[in-house]
Amino acid sequence: MPLLVTDHAWTQTHSTVYISVPLKGAKVGKVDIMSTDEYLKVHYPPYLFEAFLFQPVDDAGSTAKIGDGVVTFSLPKRTHTLWEHLMITTNDKETKKEARERALSKYQEKLSSEPRSKAKKQQAERKYALETMMKLEKEERDSIQRMKDTEQEKTTAELAAWQLKQNEEALEEAQRQLQSQRDNQNKLKATTEKQENESVGKVKSSQNGNNEAKGKKKQVDLPAPRLAGNIPVTFTPRVFPTALRESRVPEEEEWLRKQAEARRAVNSDAEELKNLKESERNTDWLKDKGDKCFATGDYLGAVNAYNLAIRLNRKIPALYSNRAACHLKLRNLHKAIEDSSQAIDLLTPPVAANEAARIRAHVRRGSAFCQLQLYAEGLQDYQAALKIDPYNEALQADTQRIRDIIQGTAAEPET
């Protein structure tokens, strides 16, 4: 039989009821509290406090705090009026029993609804986080697209300005040549007239002299015309600096032929790009533009320039090799490997004229492999570069460092 607590205290305002219940030395962990809109219970064995409230309160806004051996309840009223009593004055056990059962039912329903409301709240938070993430990603994509559009417009404008400047310079050069031709013609005309005048004067003077000296001097015989003939001309044959047994004349000639074909391929490729303006079809200008962007750290701008140049001409290895360097800076490692491989395929046959380009392509592909932690493949490319230039100290050091990483005697570089 629990002991009922009667030494509680309560106060009120028009909107709130405050109740203080002493715990009589009970520990906080052993205090059981139940609160509904019309019933209040504090149970800490063997003591029990229960209150059948005079009027309903707002259960959702009710609070209970434990401290200094007292439980303090703050119960917002549903109707802002002053109560005559804290509890109902009836002593009917059936009425109180029904009130307890209703309170217990409401309390159990409240406990069962909390997980659902919590799950609903978590779902709403996850949905909000997902929508926020999607919004941020969309803003980032839009920002990148705006940067691309701005860079493309900038490149197009610079290309148009360069083309206009080239046309103006060509026009000025044609005007200078035309003026120079006119000046030469005027000088030639003046010289011819002067020679003709001098010739006429000489003829007249000679006639007068001949008339005076006629019969006194004999006419001097003029020499006979020279005989016609052919002068043989020989050209020094092209000789490579290597010994005859090591000479690679056919390979050198094939490399030069391929370079010439690559340059001629620009016109045929440009005819297929119907959507490009005439000012955007200069491969050399685009390559120089990409090189300048790379030098200033604008790797995306350099990639855009090389992309357009490759669309115009897919047979120039330097475009792929330079774009591979940009992808290395942007950490697009698989694209760097693809471009380096394409450059190596175009740098054939291997001759002295393309040794430096082949070394760069192998080193860039090897660096991309190593950054992907594919050290065996990277070592093959560095060894290929070292085979071309075996006395390169930097290549020797890098190759040895990759061997040490593969053998486990050196730490992997940070990416």
Side-chain angles (χ1 to χ4, degrees), residues 185-248:
Q185 289 177 357
N186 293 333
K187 291 180 180 179
L188 180 61
K189 183 178 180 181
T191 304
T192 304
E193 291 177 353
K194 182 179 179 181
Q195 290 177 352
E196 289 178 352
N197 294 332
E198 292 178 353
S199 177
V200 170
K202 288 180 180 180
V203 168
K204 291 181 178 179
S205 175
S206 176
Q207 287 178 354
N208 294 332
N210 288 336
N211 292 333
E212 294 177 355
K214 188 176 181 180
K216 296 181 180 179
K217 295 182 179 178
K218 294 182 179 180
Q219 185 177 1
V220 179
D221 295 333
L222 298 176
R226 295 181 180 179
L227 298 176
N230 295 326
I231 301 175
V233 179
T234 59
F235 298 94
T236 304
R238 183 182 179 188
V239 179
F240 291 94
T242 54
L244 182 60
R245 66 178 182 278
E246 299 176 358
S247 177
R248 308 186 66 178

Side-chain angles (χ1 to χ4, degrees), residues 231-295:
I231 301 175
V233 179
T234 59
F235 298 94
T236 304
R238 183 182 179 188
V239 179
F240 291 94
T242 54
L244 182 60
R245 66 178 182 278
E246 299 176 358
S247 177
R248 308 186 66 178
V249 177
E251 289 84 351
E252 292 280 351
E253 292 178 350
E254 182 180 356
W255 168 251
L256 295 175
R257 179 181 58 77
K258 288 182 66 177
Q259 291 296 101
E261 289 178 355
R263 290 299 176 186
R264 287 194 299 270
V266 174
N267 294 331
S268 60
D269 289 345
E271 293 176 358
E272 299 177 359
L273 300 174
K274 303 295 185 182
N275 296 329
L276 293 181
K277 299 178 181 178
E278 185 66 25
S279 59
E280 297 176 348
R281 301 183 183 181
N282 192 300
T283 308
D284 293 331
W285 184 89
L286 289 171
K287 180 180 177 298
D288 293 339
K289 174 66 177 175
D291 295 343
K292 292 178 181 178
C293 290
F294 183 87

